[in-house]
Tab-separated table of all heavy atoms in Angstrom:
chain	number	residue	atom	x	y	z
B	52	ALA	N	44.796	-51.835	131.561
B	52	ALA	CA	43.495	-51.952	132.444
B	52	ALA	C	43.255	-53.281	133.005
B	52	ALA	O	42.833	-53.662	134.123
B	52	ALA	CB	42.377	-51.645	131.457
B	53	VAL	N	43.724	-54.288	132.186
B	53	VAL	CA	43.817	-55.691	132.593
B	53	VAL	C	45.083	-56.416	132.291
B	53	VAL	O	45.568	-56.290	131.108
B	53	VAL	CB	42.617	-56.488	131.981
B	53	VAL	CG1	42.755	-58.061	132.224
B	53	VAL	CG2	41.288	-56.047	132.313
B	54	GLN	N	45.771	-56.806	133.260
B	54	GLN	CA	47.029	-57.528	133.008
B	54	GLN	C	46.781	-58.937	132.639
B	54	GLN	O	45.798	-59.444	132.818
B	54	GLN	CB	47.854	-57.473	134.351
B	54	GLN	CG	48.099	-55.911	134.636
B	54	GLN	CD	49.259	-55.638	135.538
B	54	GLN	OE1	50.172	-56.466	135.590
B	54	GLN	NE2	49.156	-54.528	136.208
B	55	GLU	N	47.840	-59.531	132.095
B	55	GLU	CA	47.801	-60.869	131.572
B	55	GLU	C	46.953	-61.908	132.477
B	55	GLU	O	47.471	-62.050	133.550
B	55	GLU	CB	49.346	-61.402	131.240
B	55	GLU	CG	49.157	-62.578	130.236
B	55	GLU	CD	50.659	-62.920	129.870
B	55	GLU	OE1	51.224	-62.322	129.117
B	55	GLU	OE2	51.173	-63.956	130.560
B	56	THR	N	45.977	-62.348	131.911
B	56	THR	CA	45.128	-63.140	132.730
B	56	THR	C	44.568	-64.498	132.036
B	56	THR	O	44.224	-64.321	130.922
B	56	THR	CB	43.929	-62.298	133.226
B	56	THR	OG1	44.291	-61.158	133.836
B	56	THR	CG2	42.857	-63.091	134.179
B	57	ASP	N	44.494	-65.539	132.861
B	57	ASP	CA	43.841	-66.767	132.306
B	57	ASP	C	42.530	-66.827	133.098
B	57	ASP	O	42.424	-66.556	134.246
B	57	ASP	CB	44.640	-67.927	132.588
B	57	ASP	CG	45.964	-67.977	131.743
B	57	ASP	OD1	45.859	-67.465	130.610
B	57	ASP	OD2	46.972	-68.487	132.061
B	58	PHE	N	41.446	-67.419	132.245
B	58	PHE	CA	40.155	-67.495	132.878
B	58	PHE	C	39.446	-68.611	132.208
B	58	PHE	O	39.607	-68.818	130.969
B	58	PHE	CB	39.412	-66.106	132.837
B	58	PHE	CG	38.037	-66.267	133.381
B	58	PHE	CD1	37.814	-65.900	134.709
B	58	PHE	CD2	36.937	-66.469	132.570
B	58	PHE	CE1	36.550	-65.939	135.356
B	58	PHE	CE2	35.741	-66.571	133.080
B	58	PHE	CZ	35.455	-66.134	134.407
B	59	GLU	N	38.577	-69.344	133.076
B	59	GLU	CA	37.857	-70.527	132.506
B	59	GLU	C	36.591	-70.618	133.299
B	59	GLU	O	36.614	-70.585	134.489
B	59	GLU	CB	38.739	-71.757	132.523
B	59	GLU	CG	38.048	-72.932	131.635
B	59	GLU	CD	39.035	-74.093	131.780
B	59	GLU	OE1	40.270	-74.057	131.331
B	59	GLU	OE2	38.617	-75.131	132.236
B	60	ILE	N	35.549	-70.824	132.573
B	60	ILE	CA	34.207	-71.115	133.324
B	60	ILE	C	33.530	-72.316	132.580
B	60	ILE	O	33.452	-72.237	131.305
B	60	ILE	CB	33.303	-69.908	133.489
B	60	ILE	CG1	32.164	-70.102	134.268
B	60	ILE	CG2	32.998	-69.280	132.158
B	60	ILE	CD1	31.285	-68.869	134.705
B	61	SER	N	32.932	-73.132	133.257
B	61	SER	CA	32.293	-74.315	132.689
B	61	SER	C	30.824	-74.001	132.626
B	61	SER	O	30.297	-73.101	133.310
B	61	SER	CB	32.504	-75.539	133.575
B	61	SER	OG	33.877	-75.851	133.665
B	62	ASP	N	30.174	-74.811	131.701
B	62	ASP	CA	28.772	-74.766	131.675
B	62	ASP	C	28.079	-74.976	133.150
B	62	ASP	O	28.540	-75.817	133.795
B	62	ASP	CB	28.194	-75.652	130.670
B	62	ASP	CG	28.560	-75.421	129.251
B	62	ASP	OD1	29.238	-74.346	128.944
B	62	ASP	OD2	28.543	-76.238	128.366
B	63	GLY	N	27.070	-74.156	133.298
B	63	GLY	CA	26.363	-74.454	134.625
B	63	GLY	C	26.963	-73.756	135.748
B	63	GLY	O	26.534	-73.983	137.026
B	64	GLN	N	28.016	-72.977	135.645
B	64	GLN	CA	28.722	-72.229	136.711
B	64	GLN	C	28.213	-70.883	136.777
B	64	GLN	O	28.077	-70.260	135.759
B	64	GLN	CB	30.175	-72.292	136.603
B	64	GLN	CG	30.694	-73.642	137.034
B	64	GLN	CD	32.322	-73.540	137.049
B	64	GLN	OE1	32.985	-72.912	136.439
B	64	GLN	NE2	32.904	-74.395	137.942
B	65	LEU	N	28.202	-70.260	138.043
B	65	LEU	CA	27.925	-68.786	138.146
B	65	LEU	C	29.216	-68.228	138.779
B	65	LEU	O	29.558	-68.621	139.802
B	65	LEU	CB	26.689	-68.595	138.916
B	65	LEU	CG	26.179	-67.170	139.024
B	65	LEU	CD1	24.657	-67.112	139.273
B	65	LEU	CD2	26.865	-66.259	140.087
B	66	ALA	N	29.823	-67.309	138.041
B	66	ALA	CA	31.093	-66.755	138.622
B	66	ALA	C	30.839	-65.275	138.820
B	66	ALA	O	30.143	-64.610	138.088
B	66	ALA	CB	32.152	-66.827	137.486
B	67	VAL	N	31.246	-64.870	140.047
B	67	VAL	CA	31.116	-63.401	140.411
B	67	VAL	C	32.360	-62.829	140.446
B	67	VAL	O	33.424	-63.299	140.923
B	67	VAL	CB	30.377	-63.376	141.796
B	67	VAL	CG1	30.460	-61.935	142.356
B	67	VAL	CG2	28.915	-63.667	141.740
B	68	ILE	N	32.525	-61.532	139.870
B	68	ILE	CA	33.831	-60.923	139.773
B	68	ILE	C	33.588	-59.579	140.545
B	68	ILE	O	32.682	-58.790	140.164
B	68	ILE	CB	34.328	-60.536	138.422
B	68	ILE	CG1	34.542	-61.823	137.621
B	68	ILE	CG2	35.677	-59.784	138.449
B	68	ILE	CD1	34.849	-61.677	136.122
B	69	THR	N	34.330	-59.430	141.689
B	69	THR	CA	33.988	-58.146	142.423
B	69	THR	C	35.405	-57.370	142.300
B	69	THR	O	36.418	-57.781	141.776
B	69	THR	CB	33.872	-58.395	143.885
B	69	THR	OG1	34.859	-59.122	144.453
B	69	THR	CG2	32.470	-59.219	144.077
B	70	GLY	N	35.287	-56.134	142.800
B	70	GLY	CA	36.559	-55.243	142.826
B	70	GLY	C	36.150	-53.789	142.668
B	70	GLY	O	34.954	-53.409	142.683
B	71	ARG	N	37.004	-52.895	142.965
B	71	ARG	CA	36.782	-51.451	143.288
B	71	ARG	C	36.463	-50.942	141.763
B	71	ARG	O	36.903	-51.558	140.730
B	71	ARG	CB	37.988	-50.810	143.913
B	71	ARG	CG	38.019	-51.170	145.368
B	71	ARG	CD	39.375	-50.752	145.935
B	71	ARG	NE	39.712	-49.304	145.661
B	71	ARG	CZ	40.895	-48.889	145.969
B	71	ARG	NH1	41.878	-49.571	146.314
B	71	ARG	NH2	41.038	-47.494	145.749
B	72	SER	N	35.859	-49.804	141.856
B	72	SER	CA	35.619	-49.065	140.524
B	72	SER	C	37.047	-48.765	139.845
B	72	SER	O	37.899	-48.325	140.592
B	72	SER	CB	34.910	-47.668	140.749
B	72	SER	OG	33.769	-47.959	141.286
B	73	GLY	N	37.010	-49.039	138.450
B	73	GLY	CA	38.277	-48.805	137.810
B	73	GLY	C	39.339	-49.790	137.947
B	73	GLY	O	40.439	-49.733	137.450
B	74	SER	N	38.922	-50.987	138.520
B	74	SER	CA	39.911	-51.984	138.743
B	74	SER	C	40.102	-52.957	137.449
B	74	SER	O	40.922	-53.641	137.343
B	74	SER	CB	39.457	-52.938	139.856
B	74	SER	OG	38.167	-53.464	139.600
B	75	GLY	N	39.251	-52.661	136.404
B	75	GLY	CA	39.248	-53.450	135.278
B	75	GLY	C	38.216	-54.522	134.969
B	75	GLY	O	38.374	-55.265	134.038
B	76	LYS	N	37.220	-54.583	135.866
B	76	LYS	CA	36.259	-55.761	135.800
B	76	LYS	C	35.384	-55.587	134.557
B	76	LYS	O	35.324	-56.582	133.938
B	76	LYS	CB	35.175	-55.505	137.013
B	76	LYS	CG	35.743	-55.477	138.372
B	76	LYS	CD	34.720	-55.511	139.529
B	76	LYS	CE	33.680	-54.258	139.377
B	76	LYS	NZ	34.309	-53.068	139.786
B	77	THR	N	34.923	-54.395	134.271
B	77	THR	CA	34.127	-54.336	133.052
B	77	THR	C	35.027	-54.519	131.758
B	77	THR	O	34.508	-55.249	130.838
B	77	THR	CB	33.395	-52.831	133.001
B	77	THR	OG1	32.702	-52.732	134.097
B	77	THR	CG2	32.653	-52.598	131.667
B	78	THR	N	36.115	-54.056	131.750
B	78	THR	CA	36.949	-54.234	130.529
B	78	THR	C	37.203	-55.857	130.299
B	78	THR	O	37.143	-56.329	129.271
B	78	THR	CB	38.381	-53.559	130.744
B	78	THR	OG1	38.173	-52.237	130.957
B	78	THR	CG2	39.308	-53.833	129.657
B	79	PHE	N	37.409	-56.509	131.469
B	79	PHE	CA	37.668	-57.876	131.322
B	79	PHE	C	36.375	-58.675	130.921
B	79	PHE	O	36.533	-59.545	130.065
B	79	PHE	CB	37.983	-58.364	132.781
B	79	PHE	CG	38.313	-59.881	132.925
B	79	PHE	CD1	39.434	-60.396	132.214
B	79	PHE	CD2	37.527	-60.709	133.493
B	79	PHE	CE1	39.667	-61.728	132.257
B	79	PHE	CE2	37.748	-62.082	133.550
B	79	PHE	CZ	38.826	-62.654	132.988
B	80	LEU	N	35.296	-58.215	131.431
B	80	LEU	CA	34.029	-58.791	131.052
B	80	LEU	C	33.699	-58.655	129.522
B	80	LEU	O	33.204	-59.472	128.797
B	80	LEU	CB	32.848	-58.246	131.800
B	80	LEU	CG	31.508	-58.890	131.564
B	80	LEU	CD1	31.413	-60.252	132.418
B	80	LEU	CD2	30.305	-58.052	132.177
B	81	ASN	N	33.972	-57.299	129.062
B	81	ASN	CA	33.731	-57.046	127.641
B	81	ASN	C	34.731	-57.829	126.747
B	81	ASN	O	34.297	-58.314	125.667
B	81	ASN	CB	34.008	-55.404	127.358
B	81	ASN	CG	32.867	-54.633	127.936
B	81	ASN	OD1	31.856	-55.054	128.034
B	81	ASN	ND2	33.265	-53.343	128.279
B	82	MET	N	35.939	-58.039	127.225
B	82	MET	CA	36.770	-58.904	126.383
B	82	MET	C	36.262	-60.408	126.283
B	82	MET	O	36.325	-60.960	125.186
B	82	MET	CB	38.181	-58.881	126.975
B	82	MET	CG	38.871	-57.580	126.717
B	82	MET	SD	40.807	-57.826	126.973
B	82	MET	CE	40.759	-57.918	128.872
B	83	LEU	N	35.728	-60.821	127.461
B	83	LEU	CA	35.229	-62.243	127.410
B	83	LEU	C	34.008	-62.245	126.558
B	83	LEU	O	33.713	-63.347	125.898
B	83	LEU	CB	34.878	-62.626	128.897
B	83	LEU	CG	35.932	-62.834	129.834
B	83	LEU	CD1	35.374	-63.253	131.252
B	83	LEU	CD2	36.993	-63.815	129.495
B	84	ALA	N	33.241	-61.294	126.512
B	84	ALA	CA	31.972	-61.272	125.832
B	84	ALA	C	32.178	-60.915	124.268
B	84	ALA	O	31.112	-60.908	123.502
B	84	ALA	CB	31.009	-60.206	126.381
B	85	GLY	N	33.386	-60.684	123.819
B	85	GLY	CA	33.605	-60.507	122.371
B	85	GLY	C	33.193	-59.096	121.913
B	85	GLY	O	33.058	-58.726	120.837
B	86	LEU	N	33.406	-58.206	122.984
B	86	LEU	CA	32.971	-56.768	122.614
B	86	LEU	C	34.158	-55.920	122.658
B	86	LEU	O	34.009	-54.631	122.207
B	86	LEU	CB	31.833	-56.262	123.706
B	86	LEU	CG	30.586	-56.986	123.759
B	86	LEU	CD1	29.695	-56.593	124.908
B	86	LEU	CD2	29.824	-56.738	122.383
B	87	LEU	N	35.152	-56.288	123.078
B	87	LEU	CA	36.469	-55.488	123.186
B	87	LEU	C	37.779	-56.318	122.968
B	87	LEU	O	38.010	-57.318	123.495
B	87	LEU	CB	36.562	-54.845	124.548
B	87	LEU	CG	37.659	-53.863	124.923
B	87	LEU	CD1	37.447	-52.602	123.978
B	87	LEU	CD2	37.758	-53.533	126.398
B	88	THR	N	38.290	-55.954	121.804
B	88	THR	CA	39.512	-56.781	121.373
B	88	THR	C	40.621	-56.763	122.302
B	88	THR	O	41.060	-55.575	122.617
B	88	THR	CB	39.845	-56.394	119.943
B	88	THR	OG1	38.764	-56.267	119.131
B	88	THR	CG2	40.959	-57.385	119.365
B	89	PRO	N	41.096	-57.846	122.935
B	89	PRO	CA	42.242	-57.768	123.828
B	89	PRO	C	43.477	-57.363	123.146
B	89	PRO	O	43.675	-57.530	122.010
B	89	PRO	CB	42.424	-59.178	124.323
B	89	PRO	CG	41.223	-59.919	123.819
B	89	PRO	CD	40.732	-59.259	122.616
B	90	THR	N	44.304	-56.648	123.873
B	90	THR	CA	45.742	-56.251	123.373
B	90	THR	C	46.537	-57.489	123.091
B	90	THR	O	47.100	-57.612	122.070
B	90	THR	CB	46.400	-55.350	124.295
B	90	THR	OG1	45.592	-54.307	124.737
B	90	THR	CG2	47.708	-54.755	123.737
B	91	ASP	N	46.401	-58.541	124.014
B	91	ASP	CA	47.113	-59.751	123.766
B	91	ASP	C	46.229	-60.850	124.265
B	91	ASP	O	45.240	-60.621	125.073
B	91	ASP	CB	48.362	-59.780	124.590
B	91	ASP	CG	49.582	-59.178	123.788
B	91	ASP	OD1	49.723	-59.578	122.646
B	91	ASP	OD2	50.331	-58.410	124.199
B	92	GLY	N	46.446	-62.094	123.861
B	92	GLY	CA	45.670	-63.224	124.242
B	92	GLY	C	44.526	-63.554	123.536
B	92	GLY	O	44.269	-62.941	122.536
Side-chain angles (χ1 to χ4, degrees):
Chain B
V53 175
Q54 302 205 18
E55 197 176 282
T56 305
D57 290 326
F58 179 84
E59 190 176 304
I60 185 169
S61 305
D62 294 348
Q64 283 189 329
L65 191 153
V67 167
I68 303 171
T69 59
R71 290 164 56 188
S72 296
S74 61
K76 304 185 298 290
T77 296
T78 301
F79 182 66
L80 189 77
N81 285 338
M82 286 194 289
L83 294 180
L86 298 171
L87 184 66
T88 313
T90 308
D91 272 313

